[in-house]
Amino acid sequence: MTFAHTFADASHAAEPEVLLVDDDEVNLLLTALALRERGFKVTEASSGEQALELLRDWMPDLVVLDAMMPGLDGFATCRRLRRAPGFENVPVLMLTGLEDDASITRAYQAGATDFFVKATQWSLLAGRLHYLLRASRTRIELERNRAKLARAQDLARMGSFDWWRTEEGLLVSPEALRVFGFGPHDRVTLRMLLRMVPHEDRRAFLRLLHEVMRHASVLATDVPIVLFDGRQRIVHVEAEPEFNEHGHSIGYSGIVQDVTDRRAAEDKIRELANFDALTGLPNRRQLIWRAERALEHARRMQHQCALLLIDLDRFKVINDTLGHAAGDELLVEVGRRLRACVRHSDQVMDGQIEAVGARSHRALEAVGRLGGDEFVALLPEITSDADAERVAERVLSALRDPIFVSGQECFVTGSVGVAIFPRDGNSVVDLLRNSDVAMYSVKAQGRNSSAIYSPQLAGRGRDKLELETALHKAIERDEIVLHYQPKIDVRGARMVGAEALMRWQRGGKLVPPGDFIPLAEDTGLIVPLSEWALRQAAGQARAWQDSYGFADAIAVNLPSRLFERSDLVEHIHQCVTAFNVPHRMIMLEITENSLMKDLQNVIPALHRLNEIGVEISIDDFGTGYSSLAYLTTLPISELKIDRSFVRDLGITPQSSAVVTAIIALARSLGLRVVAEGVETLRQMEVLHRLGCGVMQGFLFSRAVPPDEVQRWLEQTVLPRKAPWIGEVTEEEAAADAGRATATRLLRS
């Protein structure tokens, strides 16, 4: 492989384009032929004028010019070429037969990149051209990278500098000058730059510079500066020492960068990470950090501190009624009021506490937003419970004043739970949990008050939690059972239906419904429990039908939320068809309060149920605060008079008046009436006299297991041995039997 081929392999893969200019036709032909053989693509021109004409619309990789030509010689052609746009850096090789220094100098002055003495050493000429081409490409790449670097530095607001201990002083790049607000050609000194540092920060910065220079160490710091137009910026400076051949420090080289926006973003991120965006109060993360620091100091200094958990009592009502924007407005105002109840500190940095002094931990005191409508007040030092109680009273007092939200005057109160360190917990988690227990005890006792944690409160909370866990397992273990309380037609002395009531067999004992039904409603377990009750009632209706021809309805209590389910009708249909009993043998009871609370969602389901033959009974009628208009529009079959009206029958005339009105209303609407909670013969007699013939209560039977219902029928009702069974004539009995048969035929 020849020397020329080596350069050809190293060059660009495409053939380099060369413009060869020479007035000697023989020399032009020979040179062109030699270059083509060596991998060049040659375009020939016999004069300077012709060459410039070709270069108007074309740019070669290299230009080879003969120095001595008639007319426009090589020197003049090169000068005019360099003045043309885009040709400033095209490699130009000047061919000359002259070896004097004046001609060489003249060639360089004309703008030639290099010169070559005319000869027949074509390989050397090709090698020289390859070198020029490689150098040109390297220079272009370097300039491109330099432009990219300058652009990157400009975008990053960064520049470089060099500072020497000699007379050269400070050398600053144009990009660095822009960082300091200067033009690219301005001359600056180190003193000028130092004067841009604010006076209050300048002394500390100079002290740092002297320390760095004394040890010849690396400098890395952020410096605040004020530009000449008054803008305040923050500049990051990094510099490394430079040493001479003897190891002595001769200066520094480094970079400067405007980090004002980055620092602002970091401050914003820090604020978002530690403070609530809505109220501006410390958030959960910041509160926990402060509380942990407060506990550390309390342990070290042997004093108490307190955590107050504040929950708004009526926030959900206001938020749902007036909207989320009004709710946010309310939270902002509450945060402002709570902030005034303690010595609130906005910013506490890590390390600041230890640096200030023995009592600096008091700066941790603050009110923060834990989340939602929950706030926390941290008291890092108290002498007794009374200190925390005073702050709690200030909080309650601040919340009692009316708050104007969206033009509406609102009243919101708070419930405050207090936990004291170290008595009520040795960690932040313990204090938060126990203050939460105390707060919920206030909620249970009527709200708008405060309570200090005690183990007794935690015991009640644990009992409730254990009960909830056990209730989940009770469903899995089949500990839930149904007991049945008969509905009695006292005139005919016979059972005309039953109400299915849930019982919980826990550890061999029956848990009262009042203990677990409200818990099931709170936790949502009432839904699977009610679905289970529907299946059990349908199965029991079938069992009684097979045993003694039971053909009446079993009533099942359903919560209003179950009526929201789109598959409720399908579920009930599956229950009754699974046991092959008519739909009418399942009656659904819903309390009046539950009905009116979610009437619009309940109405469609009631109509669909009525269409398939399922009857609806309104339980606890007369206790709801609602319009009676729903009685005329809903598919209701039965009203149950609440036991509170039955209890005083025969004692107070008011109870008789209410019961009389309910019975008259039901008759006019064609509805059945059932009185519940009948416990005495007096109550039964008054109800019968007023026109209510169907009753249920302890006078007749308690809610008992299904097998005891059948035994009760066989041993008490059929032999007519119960004291509530009066004398019934044969005619009345026959009439009752006829009516019962007709009713049964109509239903079937």
Side-chain angles (χ1 to χ4, degrees), residues 128-191:
R128 181 66 60 87
L129 292 178
H130 277 297
Y131 272 122
L132 289 178
L133 187 62
R134 182 183 300 172
S136 174
R137 288 173 176 164
T138 301
R139 178 189 53 74
I140 291 172
E141 187 65 28
L142 288 174
E143 289 184 354
R144 185 181 294 116
N145 290 337
R146 181 179 177 182
K148 289 180 180 178
L149 178 61
R151 179 60 178 161
Q153 288 183 342
D154 192 39
L155 291 174
R157 297 180 181 178
M158 178 187 295
S160 60
F161 71 90
D162 293 292
W163 177 78
W164 310 107
R165 295 177 183 270
T166 60
E167 297 177 355
E168 297 179 17
L170 183 66
L171 300 177
V172 184
S173 71
E175 293 80 14
L177 288 172
R178 278 196 291 271
V179 170
F180 292 103
F182 293 103
H185 303 294
D186 291 342
R187 294 285 299 172
V188 297
T189 63
L190 182 60
R191 185 180 297 274

Side-chain angles (χ1 to χ4, degrees), residues 201-404:
D201 300 306
R202 192 180 306 162
R203 185 181 298 274
F205 181 58
L206 287 172
R207 190 182 305 115
L208 174 64
L209 287 180
H210 287 303
E211 188 70 17
V212 167
M213 292 170 62
R214 188 163 64 88
H215 294 92
S217 57
V218 174
L219 172 67
T221 187
D222 289 348
V223 185
I225 63 172
V226 179
L227 304 184
F228 289 107
D229 59 6
R231 288 181 297 158
Q232 297 182 351
R233 312 298 291 174
I234 299 176
V235 174
H236 179 71
V237 182
E238 283 192 20
E240 293 184 350
E242 297 287 341
F243 301 95
N244 60 15
E245 63 274 13
H246 303 294
H248 298 146
S249 174
I250 57 175
Y252 276 81
S253 63
I255 59 98
V256 291
Q257 182 180 16
D258 186 339
V259 295
T260 308
D261 294 341
R262 188 186 75 188
R263 284 285 295 272
E266 290 173 353
D267 292 342
K268 186 64 177 178
I269 292 171
R270 191 178 298 111
E271 180 182 353
L272 292 174
N274 293 282
F275 293 88
D276 178 52
L278 179 64
T279 63
L281 297 175
N283 61 12
R284 175 187 288 269
R285 180 178 181 275
Q286 174 71 189
L287 281 170
I288 292 176
W289 182 87
R290 290 183 184 231
E292 287 173 346
R293 302 290 84 74
L295 295 191
E296 290 175 6
H297 283 267
R299 291 189 191 97
R300 188 162 61 244
M301 302 171 68
Q302 298 295 308
H303 62 69
Q304 300 180 92
C305 61
L307 206 64
L308 281 67
L309 183 62
I310 307 156
D311 187 86
L312 303 184
D313 292 331
R314 300 184 65 250
F315 175 73
K316 188 177 187 303
V317 175
I318 296 172
N319 197 50
D320 292 346
T321 304
L322 300 181
H324 292 289
D328 290 347
E329 189 178 343
L330 176 69
L331 290 174
V332 171
E333 174 60 19
V334 168
R336 187 190 65 78
R337 293 187 183 187
L338 295 181
R339 184 190 187 96
C341 295
V342 300
R343 295 188 297 268
H344 187 93
S345 176
D346 283 327
Q347 289 282 1
V348 181
M349 303 302 294
D350 200 359
Q352 177 181 338
I353 302 303
E354 290 76 7
V356 176
R359 296 296 177 187
S360 61
H361 62 280
R362 292 177 178 174
L364 294 166
E365 183 169 325
V367 168
R369 185 184 177 201
L370 198 61
D373 61 341
E374 284 189 330
F375 296 82
V376 168
L378 172 64
L379 308 180
E381 182 178 358
I382 61 171
T383 57
S384 66
D385 293 2
D387 293 341
E389 289 176 335
R390 278 194 295 271
V391 174
E393 185 54 41
R394 282 205 299 269
V395 167
L396 295 173
S397 177
L399 293 177
R400 289 188 185 111
D401 294 334
I403 299 176
F404 286 89

Side-chain angles (χ1 to χ4, degrees), residues 31 199 258 465:
T31 306
H199 184 74
D258 186 339
L465 183 61

Side-chain angles (χ1 to χ4, degrees), residues 506-570:
R506 186 186 183 196
K509 297 181 180 179
L510 288 178
V511 179
D515 289 349
F516 75 89
I517 293 298
L519 180 62
E521 290 176 345
D522 290 342
T523 58
L525 290 174
I526 194 66
V527 173
L529 285 175
S530 299
E531 293 174 345
W532 170 86
L534 286 169
R535 291 191 298 271
Q536 290 293 111
Q540 191 59 54
R542 182 67 200 183
W544 282 345
Q545 188 181 55
D546 294 341
S547 297
Y548 56 88
F550 178 79
D552 295 297
I554 296 179
V556 180
N557 292 279
L558 288 190
S560 60
R561 71 171 67 180
L562 204 62
F563 286 87
E564 299 176 14
R565 294 188 50 160
S566 59
D567 61 343
L568 175 62
V569 176
E570 182 182 352

